[in-house]
Amino acid sequence: MLFSILSNFTEILVAMKKEDMHPESVMMSYGYKPELSEGAVKPPIFNTSTFAFKTAEEGKAQFEIAYGLRDKNDNEELGLIYSRINNPNLEILENRLALWDKADDCAVFESGMSAISTVMLEYLKPGDLLLYSSPTYGGTDHFIHHFLPTIGVHCITFDHHHTQQEIIDKIEASGHQNRLKLIYLETPANPTNDLVDIEMCSKIAKQFSHSEQKVVVAVDNTYMGPLWSHPLQNGADLVLYSATKYIGGHSDLIAGAVSGKAEEMQRVKVLRTFLGNMASPNTCWLMLRSLETLKIRMDQQTKNAQQVAGYLKQHPKVENVFYLGLLTENSAAYPVYKKQYSAPGAMISFTVKGGEPEAFAFLNKLRLIKLAVSLGSTESLAQHPASMTHIGVDPIDKKRYGITDNLIRVSIGVENAEDLIYDIQQALSE
Ligand SMILES: *Cc1c(COP(=O)(O)O)cnc(C)c1O
């Protein structure tokens, strides 16, 4: 009996290729061969700018592929050339990150903003049209409002209030519908947790695509990925990350990532080569370390957040709590939530009774939770969107999106939930 269980087990293991396993099971090993590095169990940091070719012919072949002059032959791999193009730490990290979203490929950047701006620059040329969801991250908002118009890109927006038909009407009314190139989404929206339907937007992209133009859908998945949401499965072409957040997860690095289908990733990687904004071997190494605990960190963070949100909801000094775990089944957002997310995440926004003075009093009294921007890290962080991350948002838009003076945003970490609740309790008391 015991023997048969054991032999079954080994058969299962043999039948399961590494690619078929859950990402968390292979984050310690995937894409790295110890025998190429003196048997070291962990990848060394490859602090080298350049790599020696075996022959001149090999060097020529590598450059042809790297510059996109020809496709790879069967079984041909892009070898190591120069660390702006590729580096072992960068490649191992990209291969591992791609697994979470079941993407063909991934590109890692030196910041979330460089991932976002590189995608926008690749897909938007003078005269093109960008459709984007609002609100977006402050840096993204700035790039769209203050940089893209200077190179002649037209930008129009929608938010969770708009229906599919209303969005289509907006595209047609812009006068640039034949130049629509990119639909850029951020969902859940920061800081309000409003949801955008990715599948609906990918239908709109298909409707405006024709033989000469493919409308690409890109989703900033920083808030929910790469664990609780997989936009590629809802029809997106590219998924973007500030890897500074959950992926890095320890508030000790800045990085970004883009994952997606092979043909789109080829374009993104070629532009990255020439903008030169890839992450360094050191940063990649730190992220490889972070990925080993990504799932247990995020699991604990969302468990804690559910308890904290429940506490906030019943507190007499709290007016409203915006948390995906508190959505009611009859709300308009609920079907989108069920379709796109496997957990409610660890980002909570809530309003305290009163205004800025009451919000500031709460923030100043926190002891365990740090008063800082950023999110997705092991430690819990709290901030005041109206005067901090979203200070640059137009006052009318602020009102429309509910970024009020009494709104507080909290990112929940891996601490003990009881201690977090105790800290919030004492900070809300007189
Ligand atoms: C932080 C953040 C960014 C920008 O990323 P950086 O790593 O700071 O450049 C983009 N989008 C969202 C949703 C973010 O939270």
Side-chain angles (χ1 to χ4, degrees):
M1 183 62 195
L2 182 65
F3 175 75
S4 82
I5 290 172
L6 278 176
S7 72
N8 261 342
F9 187 62
T10 41
E11 268 168 38
I12 291 167
L13 277 183
V14 171
M16 240 175 142
K17 292 200 305 293
K18 269 193 171 173
E19 289 79 354
D20 300 330
M21 290 189 183
H22 296 89
E24 64 270 26
S25 301
V26 297
M27 280 302 113
M28 286 62 78
S29 56
Y30 188 76
Y32 170 65
K33 295 196 184 90
E35 62 269 28
L36 295 181
S37 296
E38 309 277 1
V41 167
K42 293 289 154 177
I45 305 178
F46 286 84
N47 273 333
T48 183
S49 57
T50 193
F51 298 87
F53 302 127
K54 290 192 191 82
T55 61
E57 288 77 8
E58 185 206 66
K60 178 181 176 184
Q62 296 299 353
F63 268 93
E64 285 170 349
I65 301 169
Y67 274 62
L69 299 182
R70 64 171 174 87
D71 290 334
K72 282 181 226 169
N73 298 329
D74 293 342
N75 300 325
E76 195 178 22
E77 286 288 325
L78 176 61
L80 296 161
I81 300 175
Y82 183 70
S83 288
R84 176 158 47 74
I85 300 169
N86 51 11
N87 173 286
N89 298 110
L90 185 65
E91 288 205 336
I92 299 166
L93 175 62
E94 289 172 347
N95 292 340
R96 289 186 191 172
L97 258 180
L99 293 180
W100 293 92
D101 284 307
K102 295 189 166 63
D104 295 337
D105 198 5
C106 169
V108 172
F109 290 81
E110 63 186 353
S111 68
M113 277 315 301
S114 59
I116 293 164
S117 53
T118 301
V119 165
M120 289 190 174
L121 289 172
E122 175 56 30
Y123 289 95
L124 298 166
K125 306 297 175 224
D128 285 345
L129 177 67
L130 165 72
L131 172 74
Y132 69 100
S133 67
S134 284
T136 59
Y137 175 74
T140 310
D141 188 80
H142 186 94
F143 194 76
I144 291 171
H145 281 94
H146 300 284
F147 180 79
L148 290 180
T150 68
I151 58 165
V153 172
H154 306 284
C155 306
I156 56 171
T157 191
F158 71 97
D159 60 55
H160 72 282
H161 300 101
H162 292 102
T163 63
Q164 182 169 349
Q165 191 53 50
E166 285 169 339
I167 299 169
I168 291 168
D169 292 345
K170 269 177 169 270
I171 297 169
E172 287 172 349
S174 76
H176 305 289
Q177 66 175 81
N178 287 325
R179 296 294 298 269
L180 179 65
K181 293 289 167 62
L182 182 64
I183 300 182
Y184 183 89
L185 310 175
E186 193 176 314
T187 176
N190 174 7
T192 50
N193 279 332
D194 292 326
L195 301 182
V196 174
D197 186 337
I198 299 168
E199 192 183 13
M200 172 190 82
C201 291
S202 98
K203 282 187 193 145
I204 296 174
K206 286 206 180 76
Q207 180 177 335
F208 286 91
S209 293
H210 48 77
S211 55
E212 269 133 62
Q213 113 172 5
K214 181 183 173 212
V215 183
V216 166
V217 178
V219 180
D220 181 336
N221 197 32
T222 301
Y223 248 53
M224 294 298 269
L227 198 66
W228 303 312
S229 167
H230 302 289
L232 300 178
Q233 290 169 21
N234 302 111
D237 302 285
L238 292 171
V239 51
L240 285 70
Y241 292 101
S242 167
T244 310
K245 314 296 165 54
Y246 288 102
I247 293 171
H250 295 72
S251 300
D252 56 5
L253 62 86
I254 299 277
V258 180
S259 292
K261 297 175 185 160
E263 54 175 310
E264 307 306 337
M265 290 310 301
Q266 165 76 10
R267 291 182 59 174
V268 171
K269 278 194 159 169
V270 168
L271 184 58
R272 184 187 64 173
T273 293
F274 298 104
L275 293 178
N277 50 3
M278 71 298 151
S280 74
N282 289 283
T283 303
C284 293
W285 186 90
L286 268 176
M287 276 195 277
L288 285 172
R289 185 174 185 151
S290 294
L291 280 185
E292 299 188 6
T293 55
L294 180 81
K295 179 152 191 308
I296 56 169
R297 281 187 280 117
M298 292 183 77
D299 279 347
Q300 189 61 43
Q301 286 173 266
T302 189
K303 263 192 215 156
N304 285 352
Q306 288 166 44
Q307 289 194 47
V308 170
Y311 173 77
L312 285 169
K313 194 171 163 48
Q314 53 77 51
H315 198 288
K317 286 201 181 159
V318 172
E319 203 177 65
N320 247 315
V321 185
F322 307 99
Y323 180 59
L324 294 179
L326 295 175
L327 282 177
T328 51
E329 292 193 16
N330 55 4
S331 65
Y334 193 77
V336 182
Y337 170 64
K338 279 289 164 198
K339 183 164 65 171
Q340 287 175 194
Y341 307 106
S342 62
M347 294 300 295
I348 305 170
S349 289
F350 65 98
T351 47
V352 287
K353 287 186 181 148
E356 189 184 273
E358 286 74 14
F360 278 15
F362 168 78
L363 290 169
N364 290 338
K365 279 181 93 177
L366 288 170
R367 283 188 237 150
L368 179 63
I369 301 173
K370 295 279 172 304
L371 172 53
V373 298
S374 199
L375 60 103
S377 184
T378 44
E379 72 274 300
S380 297
L381 302 173
Q383 64 113 0
H384 184 248
S387 69
M388 295 173 191
T389 48
H390 292 70
I391 191 168
V393 177
D394 185 273
I396 295 166
D397 289 341
K398 262 192 195 169
K399 208 165 169 198
R400 179 172 170 91
Y401 306 136
I403 307 172
T404 51
D405 285 340
N406 61 344
L407 183 76
I408 286 160
R409 189 190 80 179
V410 208
S411 166
I412 299 296
V414 300
E415 303 91 337
N416 186 299
E418 283 175 27
D419 296 339
L420 291 171
I421 289 170
Y422 175 78
D423 196 30
I424 291 169
Q425 181 189 14
Q426 66 81 23
L428 281 172
S429 66
E430 294 307 324

